[in-house]
Amino acid sequence: QVQLVESGGGLVQPGGSLRLSCAASGSILRINDMGWYRQAPGKQRELVAITSKGGGTNYADSVKGRFTISRDDAKNTVTLQMNSLKPEDTRVYYCNAGILRMDRTRYIDYWGQGTQVTVSS
């Protein structure tokens, strides 16, 4: 009954910027951690950035200083501002959130469907 929907992916030149957004909807009581992950073909999904309910953030070393994660709890959204993009940032990016549903007693991890980011000239 809960779903995450990403938006904002696309094609950008090296050095450019993109802003990814993810909106959670459904029978939601509370959202704990929210984050972004990315995956290349044949590779494991890897952490990009996480923001906690308390506002703390963690970033992968490869994106520190270039990407910024933020959340809006009133709108149940998380955003990833991606600057100074490099070809190696080309991946499918997935939104993740730990969500307490109205009809459950535990937080459950939910994933978006993924959005493609391509950095190329």
Side-chain angles (χ1 to χ4, degrees):
Q1 199 66 24
V2 171
Q3 66 179 57
L4 306 179
V5 179
E6 302 103 332
S7 62
L11 175 65
V12 66
Q13 293 184 332
S17 298
L18 285 173
R19 190 169 190 263
L20 306 183
S21 295
C22 173
S25 62
S27 55
I28 298 169
L29 271 181
R30 192 175 188 271
I31 301 179
N32 200 359
D33 291 352
M34 305 184 78
W36 290 93
Y37 295 72
R38 64 188 185 184
Q39 187 170 22
K43 299 289 187 178
Q44 294 294 315
R45 193 168 297 182
E46 64 180 20
L47 170 70
V48 178
I50 291 177
T51 178
S52 69
K53 180 66 176 179
T57 59
N58 286 291
Y59 296 90
D61 289 341
S62 59
V63 307
K64 286 180 179 177
R66 300 189 297 123
F67 293 7
T68 303
I69 190 170
S70 60
R71 64 191 291 163
D72 186 337
D73 290 328
K75 298 180 179 180
N76 290 336
T77 60
V78 60
T79 298
L80 186 68
Q81 179 65 47
M82 309 165 67
N83 298 326
S84 302
L85 283 162
K86 305 174 181 180
E88 52 262 45
D89 294 319
T90 297
R91 298 285 192 277
V92 177
Y93 285 71
Y94 297 89
C95 178
N96 170 262
I99 296 175
L100 179 62
R101 288 172 50 171
M102 293 180 181
D103 60 344
R104 296 290 186 269
T105 58
R106 295 180 56 199
Y107 283 89
I108 303 295
D109 277 344
Y110 289 87
W111 293 89
Q113 81 286 354
T115 184
Q116 177 70 46
V117 171
T118 302
V119 184
S120 176
S121 59

